């Protein structure tokens, strides 16, 4: 099943003229310059680019963990639907490493983000158990993080992010530290979960094949300072086949674009 992308609706994420400059020790480093990006409801957008180009920095700005030097970032979060704890949060971030709290059980890790939002204990448990079921880990709710495999820890991290029901799910190379078998399995799980929830996803990766397999649209971040160098819409329906020649053609197009941009630096 393919998630529905609402292209006529207001963007969930709207970025206009975004620039970011770091100042350290009297020197200035411009990381991002005049970046524009819109991510629509239900859309899965992947961001690719060379290591160090600013992909993760962009997610930090969207999460309000870093302040832009110029431009704006707006997130259109759906209104409060009457749940305890107020309206839906704008975003949630899944990191490359799971960052689970070792002194909390799997279920308590999943519900961690709900506690400071004033969600009742009963509702936290209900939503935590529902998210563990969604990622296929219901039977591990009472375990501790050190008892999990790497893939299981990332599933718990994903469940924790989904539990707060964010307007947009941000993912920063979440599968890059895993072996290829586990990584491919989690890619398929993510597509299943995205289809089931209709969640809007902004996914950073250095893996071009991963990007074209997962995303509706792939954005190329390139340059020093970085901006959006190209966008490719992956117009093939889900579910996809990894060996599909159409996906291979999209991946080849992206590699050519990245190679050309690198040679221009």
């Amino acid at each position: 099943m393919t998630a529905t992308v609402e292209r006529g609706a207001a963007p969930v994420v709207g970025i206009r003229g975004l620039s970011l400059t770091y100042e350290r020790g009297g020197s200035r480093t411009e990381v991002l310059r005049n970046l524009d990006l819109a991510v629509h409801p239900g859309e899965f957008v992947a961001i690719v680019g060379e290591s160090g180009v600013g992909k993760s920095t962009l997610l930090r700005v969207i999460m309000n963990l870093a302040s832009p030097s110029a431009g704006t970032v707006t997130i259109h979060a759906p209104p409060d639907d009457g749940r305890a704890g107020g309206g839906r949060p704008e975003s949630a971030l899944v990191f490359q490493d799971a960052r689970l709290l070792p002194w909390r059980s799997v279920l308590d890790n999943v519900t961690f983000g709900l506690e400071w939002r004033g969600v009742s204990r009963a509702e936290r448990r209900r939503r935590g158990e529902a998210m563990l079921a969604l990622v296929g880990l219901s039977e591990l709710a009472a375990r501790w993080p050190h008892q999990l495999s790497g893939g299981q820890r990332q599933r718990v991290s994903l469940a924790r992010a989904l539990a707060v029901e964010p307007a947009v799910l941000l993912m920063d190379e979440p599968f890059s530290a895993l072996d290829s078998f586990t990584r491919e399995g989690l890619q398929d799980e993510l597509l299943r979960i995205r289809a089931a929830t209709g969640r809007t996803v902004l996914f950073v990766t250095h893996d071009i094949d991963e990007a074209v397999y997962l995303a509706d649209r792939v954005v190329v971040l390139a340059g020093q300072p970085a901006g959006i160098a190209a966008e490719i819409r992956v117009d093939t329906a889900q579910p996809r086949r990894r060996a599909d020649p159409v996906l291979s053609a999209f991946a080849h197009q992206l590699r050519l674009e990245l190679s050309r941009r690198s040679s221009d630096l």
Side-chain angles (χ1 to χ4, degrees):
M1 181 173 64
T2 302
T4 301
V5 179
E6 302 177 35
R7 302 204 187 281
V12 174
V13 180
I15 300 173
R16 297 293 302 273
L18 178 66
S19 297
L20 177 64
T21 300
Y22 287 127
E23 296 190 26
R24 292 192 183 98
S27 63
R28 293 166 54 89
T29 302
E30 192 176 8
V31 181
L32 304 171
R33 178 186 290 175
N34 200 28
L35 191 150
D36 295 328
L37 178 65
V39 182
H40 298 280
E43 191 175 20
F44 194 127
V45 175
I47 298 177
V48 301
E50 293 186 326
S51 179
V53 76
K55 303 185 299 295
S56 297
T57 299
L58 176 58
L59 293 192
R60 286 176 55 81
V61 174
I62 296 172
M63 278 290 294
N64 203 28
L65 299 175
S67 299
S69 307
T72 60
V73 177
T74 58
I75 300 180
H76 174 70
D80 183 12
D81 58 7
R83 288 169 303 190
R88 182 172 300 173
E90 294 181 341
S91 58
L93 178 59
V94 178
F95 296 93
Q96 180 177 339
D97 55 326
R99 302 193 182 187
L100 303 182
L101 301 175
W103 59 87
R104 297 177 67 111
S105 69
V106 164
L107 179 59
D108 286 344
N109 266 282
V110 173
T111 61
F112 177 73
L114 299 172
E115 293 181 13
W116 58 271
R117 292 183 59 79
V119 178
S120 70
R121 182 185 298 272
E123 176 64 9
R124 293 200 306 265
R125 184 176 184 87
R126 185 194 70 78
R127 286 164 66 175
E129 289 175 345
M131 291 305 101
L132 283 176
L134 185 64
V135 301
L137 292 180
S138 292
E139 72 282 4
L140 303 184
R143 289 196 183 179
W144 304 98
H146 73 271
Q147 297 174 309
L148 306 179
S149 68
Q152 289 169 339
R153 286 193 291 271
Q154 280 302 86
R155 288 185 188 217
V156 175
S157 179
L158 176 58
R160 179 177 58 193
L162 291 169
V164 300
E165 298 184 339
V168 58
L169 179 64
L170 307 176
M171 307 189 76
D172 190 4
E173 303 198 48
F175 309 143
S176 62
L178 304 172
D179 64 84
S180 59
F181 180 80
T182 303
R183 182 167 61 248
E184 289 184 0
L186 285 178
Q187 289 168 358
D188 291 335
E189 280 294 289
L190 176 59
L191 290 175
R192 177 187 63 80
I193 290 167
R194 181 255 182 147
T197 63
R199 191 68 60 214
T200 303
V201 181
L202 187 56
F203 188 99
V204 161
T205 180
H206 65 273
D207 187 328
I208 290 175
D209 293 317
E210 179 176 64
V212 299
Y213 182 68
L214 293 174
D216 303 310
R217 180 164 50 111
V218 182
V219 173
V220 177
L221 203 62
Q224 295 178 343
I228 293 179
E231 295 188 22
I232 295 176
R233 192 167 298 283
V234 186
D235 290 320
T236 59
Q238 297 282 4
R240 295 170 178 167
R241 293 184 300 109
R242 297 179 193 279
D244 188 339
V246 175
L247 292 187
S248 298
F250 280 124
H252 179 66
Q253 183 180 353
L254 280 167
R255 289 188 174 93
L256 287 177
E257 188 65 42
L258 282 167
S259 177
R260 182 176 71 83
R261 295 291 174 173
S262 296
S263 65
D264 289 343
L265 298 179

